[in-house]
């Protein structure tokens, strides 16, 4: 991908193309058999992989949340349209199909490099990629699907009409559908080991080690083939990966990407570097906002600060940046922290703490606009004083803490089991998202809604901002009801 050690990329801003131009990527469906051989920049290498990662992580999140196929498919389509669109050549949109398919191709292979290094990562990657392929196969135009099926040898045998007639009674008993539909159906013959899902569900007739697969179940052969092919190529990639050990540009990126998948982060919050609430939030409002709208990680920071009248350096940094992005101005931040550190005298506060507060707002030092930390950063080992409570708290402490913190907002003991089961599966962001849904039920949030559109929590500020947004109409309504 980095041909000749270069990190420059050819211009891919092509005009609208037709299918005749798509010689490298003739179809939206792809088994990713040939690695990309074009030059890319390091930035392109990372950004396209992260876009694909967001889709795969949301698929994992959907599985952990027990979404049915229709819900999973809808969420995946939405994520694909947002991060990795793949339009048909018949699309009426003015799009660069070559660039879309090139990005899809590159992103798949970058993630292969990131996720081939352990059995667990390979298993999770194969499962998510296969589901992504299924969604794309389902929505593909009939002509695109047929062109794809004809582009490669799936090693199946079309059952001759004479043999199909001889086995009519047996085939009909295994067929699910109307008699007229059966009469129009063609059959494909493959080894039964290639369609274990159909065998398990008794959807195929078996004879002599062969499975007779009707046309409408043909996709099962394709999906199993995709999964088997990807498993083999990942193992091959793992054997070749040590060749990258000396490339200091790529390994940090691959490590970050694989950590992101383990953390389950699906997307980057658009408001992570700033807030539209500036000058709206005052120091005296933080206690109430924390009680009603903070995620557990920031709620723990707030409770510790109120209890000890102090936070250690990384805790202050983490919580301070969160409050900054939430909309607390520098003036209000100094008021808040001065009041919170009530045991410290003014002189010591001004000398040892005020500078750091101003520094986090970009007013001292190198004057950088520091962003608040995301879930992936909080989930990283040794990330902070607290990090993510869903990961760090033990099985006894977490349920007690959740009831203590969120009980007044509607979280019941009967809900805790669902949350802790998700934590045991290491889907920490899903647990946080489910707590959000449960504690905002009075605001009209239902199971599966997430923070909006079915998306999972990926940033503490995302959680808090959405909570505050949902509670504003309710608070306004409640205020109107008590007015004389």
């Amino acid at each position: 991908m980095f041909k000749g050690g270069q990190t420059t990329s050819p211009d891919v801003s092509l005009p609208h193309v037709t299918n005749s131009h798509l010689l490298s990527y003739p179809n939206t469906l792809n088994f990713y058999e040939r690695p990309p051989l074009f030059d890319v920049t390091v930035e392109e290498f990372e950004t396209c992989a992260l876009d694909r990662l967001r889709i795969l992580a949301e698929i994992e999140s959907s599985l952990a949340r027990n979404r049915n196929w229709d819900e999973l498919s809808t969420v995946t389509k939405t994520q694909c349209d947002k991060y990795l669109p793949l339009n048909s050549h018949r699309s009426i949109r003015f799009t660069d199909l070559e660039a879309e398919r090139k990005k899809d191709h590159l992103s798949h292979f970058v993630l292969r490099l990131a996720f081939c290094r352990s059995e667990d990562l390979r298993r999770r990657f194969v499962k998510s990629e296969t589901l992504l392929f299924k969604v794309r196969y389902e929505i593909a135009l009939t002509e695109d699907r047929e062109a794809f099926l004809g582009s490669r040898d799936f090693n199946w045998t079309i059952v001759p009409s004479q043999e199909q007639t001889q086995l009519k009674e047996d085939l009909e008993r295994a067929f699910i559908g109307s008699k007229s539909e059966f009469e129009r159906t063609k059959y494909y013959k493959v080894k039964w080991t290639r369609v274990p899902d159909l065998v398990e569900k008794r959807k195929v007739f078996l004879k002599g080690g062969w499975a007779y697969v009707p046309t409408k179940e043909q996709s099962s052969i394709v999906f199993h083939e995709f999964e088997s092919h990807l498993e083999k190529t990942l193992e091959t990639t793992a054997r070749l990966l040590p060749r990258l050990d000396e490339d200091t540009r790529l390994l940090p990126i691959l490590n970050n990407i694989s950590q992101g998948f383990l953390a389950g982060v699906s997307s980057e919050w658009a408001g992570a570097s700033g807030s539209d609430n500036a000058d709206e939030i005052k120091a005296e409002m933080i206690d109430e906002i924390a009680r009603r709208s903070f995620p557990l990680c920031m709620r723990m920071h707030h409770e510790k600060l109120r209890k000890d009248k102090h936070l250690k350096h990384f805790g202050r940094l983490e919580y301070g940046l969160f409050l900054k992005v939430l909309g607390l101005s520098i003036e209000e931040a100094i008021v808040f922290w001065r009041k919170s550190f009530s045991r410290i005298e003014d002189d010591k506060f001004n000398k040892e703490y005020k500078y750091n507060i101003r520094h986090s707002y970009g007013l001292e030092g190198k004057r950088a606009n520091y962003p608040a930390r995301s879930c992936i950063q909080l989930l990283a080992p040794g990330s902070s004083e607290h990090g993510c409570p869903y990961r760090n708290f033990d099985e006894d402490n977490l349920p007690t803490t959740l009831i203590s913190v969120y009980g007044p907002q509607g979280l019941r003991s009967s809900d805790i089991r669902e949350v802790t089961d998700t934590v045991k599966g290491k889907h920490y962001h899903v647990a946080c998202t489910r707590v959000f849904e449960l504690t905002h039920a009075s605001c009209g949030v239902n199971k599966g809604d997430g923070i909006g559109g079915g998306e999972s929590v990926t940033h503490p500020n995302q959680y808090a901002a959405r909570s505050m947004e949902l509670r504003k109409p309710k608070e306004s309504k409640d205020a109107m009801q008590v007015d004389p």
Side-chain angles (χ1 to χ4, degrees):
M1 282 176 250
F2 291 83
K3 192 174 180 181
Q6 299 176 28
T7 57
T8 56
S9 175
D11 183 10
V12 293
S13 300
L14 305 176
H16 182 67
V17 294
T18 62
N19 198 42
S20 61
H21 291 78
L22 301 176
L23 299 178
S24 300
Y25 309 101
N27 207 291
T28 56
L29 300 171
N30 195 342
F31 263 45
Y32 308 100
E33 294 175 293
R34 293 177 296 172
L37 299 176
F38 48 84
D39 294 353
V40 296
T41 63
V42 174
E43 180 182 4
E44 195 178 2
F45 182 91
E46 181 175 21
T47 55
C48 72
L50 288 174
D51 282 344
R52 193 181 195 92
L53 174 65
R54 290 165 186 145
I55 298 170
L56 298 188
E58 193 60 57
I59 289 174
E60 256 214 348
S61 172
S62 295
L63 293 174
R65 296 166 73 176
N66 295 316
R67 284 176 170 149
N68 60 38
W69 172 252
D70 290 339
E71 292 170 335
L72 184 150
S73 181
T74 298
V75 170
T76 304
K77 291 172 190 173
T78 301
Q79 294 293 100
C80 285
D81 289 342
K82 186 175 181 181
Y83 296 111
L84 204 64
L86 275 181
N87 288 283
S88 167
H89 69 279
R90 289 183 57 187
S91 172
I92 61 173
R93 291 176 51 197
F94 187 82
T95 56
D96 184 350
L97 302 186
E98 179 81 10
E100 285 183 353
R101 297 178 189 185
K102 191 174 184 179
K103 179 181 178 181
D104 175 67
H105 192 226
L106 174 63
S107 64
H108 172 86
F109 277 91
V110 175
L111 293 193
R112 271 197 201 179
L113 292 174
F115 301 139
C116 70
R117 290 177 285 179
S118 75
E119 185 177 347
D120 180 58
L121 282 173
R122 289 196 294 269
R123 176 184 56 79
R124 293 172 67 172
F125 180 63
V126 168
K127 189 170 186 178
S128 297
E129 274 285 341
T130 302
L131 285 170
L132 174 60
F133 181 83
K134 286 181 179 180
V135 171
R136 287 176 167 175
Y137 188 90
E138 183 183 73
I139 64 177
L141 296 177
T142 301
E143 62 186 80
D144 287 342
R145 195 181 303 163
E146 290 178 352
F148 168 73
L149 293 176
S151 67
R152 57 176 291 118
D153 182 11
F154 285 95
N155 196 28
W156 56 40
T157 302
I158 298 178
V159 178
S161 57
Q162 182 180 0
E163 184 179 358
Q164 191 167 324
T165 301
Q166 292 174 348
L167 298 173
K168 181 178 180 180
E169 292 184 6
D170 295 313
L171 296 175
E172 193 169 10
R173 277 196 293 268
F175 186 79
I176 300 176
S178 65
K179 187 171 183 178
S180 59
E181 186 181 1
F182 171 74
E183 296 293 339
R184 297 191 302 269
T185 295
K186 294 182 179 179
Y187 276 83
Y188 300 84
K189 189 163 61 172
V190 295
K191 290 292 185 181
W192 72 270
T193 52
R194 294 181 58 192
V195 284
D197 56 326
L198 298 181
V199 174
E200 181 183 6
K201 297 174 183 177
R202 298 173 181 262
K203 289 186 175 182
V204 290
F205 169 64
L206 301 178
K207 182 181 179 182
W210 295 93
Y212 289 74
V213 182
T215 304
K216 66 177 182 178
E217 304 294 350
Q218 182 186 32
S219 58
S220 289
I221 305 173
V222 180
F223 300 154
H224 187 266
E225 186 80 5
F226 179 90
E227 185 176 357
S228 299
H229 172 74
L230 185 52
E231 287 173 348
K232 293 175 183 176
T233 55
L234 278 172
E235 291 173 0
T236 302
T237 305
R239 290 195 296 270
L240 298 174
L241 191 66
R243 297 183 185 180
L244 286 176
D245 285 348
E246 297 179 1
D247 196 321
T248 57
R249 299 167 301 168
L250 302 188
L251 281 181
I253 295 174
L254 296 177
N255 290 333
N256 180 59
I257 291 171
S258 60
Q259 180 60 40
F261 198 49
L262 290 170
V265 177
S266 57
S267 63
E268 288 298 320
W269 180 53
S273 59
S275 174
D276 295 329
N277 295 322
D279 301 325
E280 293 183 8
I281 297 177
K282 306 298 181 184
E284 64 269 16
M285 299 166 59
I286 298 300
D287 282 341
E288 181 63 15
I289 296 175
R291 184 182 68 82
R292 297 171 67 86
S293 294
F294 281 11
L296 189 59
C297 54
M298 295 303 145
R299 185 67 179 269
M300 292 295 96
H301 278 313
H302 188 79
E303 297 295 333
K304 186 171 181 61
L305 180 61
R306 286 290 173 254
K307 178 183 176 182
D308 299 341
K309 310 298 181 183
H310 190 266
L311 277 179
K312 293 180 181 178
H313 173 73
F314 288 110
R316 291 198 307 274
L317 178 64
E318 198 169 273
Y319 190 41
L321 291 173
F322 167 81
L323 293 175
K324 180 187 84 167
V325 174
L326 193 67
L328 192 68
S329 67
I330 179 60
E331 294 79 15
E332 290 297 320
I334 291 173
V335 172
F336 171 78
W337 288 105
R338 180 67 196 97
K339 183 179 179 181
S340 299
F341 287 4
S342 57
R343 296 173 184 169
I344 297 175
E345 295 183 359
D346 287 343
D347 186 55
K348 182 175 181 179
F349 178 83
N350 290 332
K351 287 182 178 179
E352 298 183 17
Y353 298 99
K354 190 173 181 179
Y355 175 88
N356 287 333
I357 297 170
R358 289 176 53 81
H359 187 276
S360 67
Y361 276 77
L363 301 176
E364 301 288 354
K366 63 179 183 179
R367 300 180 183 275
N369 181 25
Y370 297 99
R373 295 188 172 182
S374 65
C375 292
I376 187 172
Q377 292 169 315
L378 295 176
L379 283 161
S383 59
S384 70
E385 184 179 17
H386 290 295
C388 176
Y390 295 100
R391 187 199 67 182
N392 293 344
F393 284 21
D394 61 39
E395 294 184 13
D396 295 326
N397 196 13
L398 180 60
T400 304
T401 302
L402 287 171
I403 287 295
S404 173
V405 171
Y406 294 116
Q409 292 176 242
L411 189 67
R412 301 165 299 180
S413 298
S414 56
D415 300 320
I416 295 297
R417 177 68 179 273
E418 181 181 356
V419 176
T420 54
D421 283 348
T422 306
V423 170
K424 289 176 183 177
K426 297 184 179 181
H427 298 290
Y428 308 114
H429 69 304
V430 177
C432 187
T433 303
R434 185 61 185 131
V435 168
F436 180 92
E437 293 170 345
L438 290 164
T439 55
H440 291 78
S442 61
C443 302
V445 178
N446 299 311
K447 184 174 182 178
D449 288 348
I451 55 164
E455 280 200 27
S456 303
V457 174
T458 63
H459 199 291
N461 282 95
Q462 177 195 36
Y463 184 114
R466 179 59 176 156
S467 175
M468 292 167 66
E469 179 186 346
L470 287 169
R471 294 192 186 283
K472 276 183 181 179
K474 188 175 187 299
E475 290 169 356
S476 299
K477 184 177 179 180
D478 291 343
M480 292 176 61
Q481 291 176 345
V482 298
D483 283 344

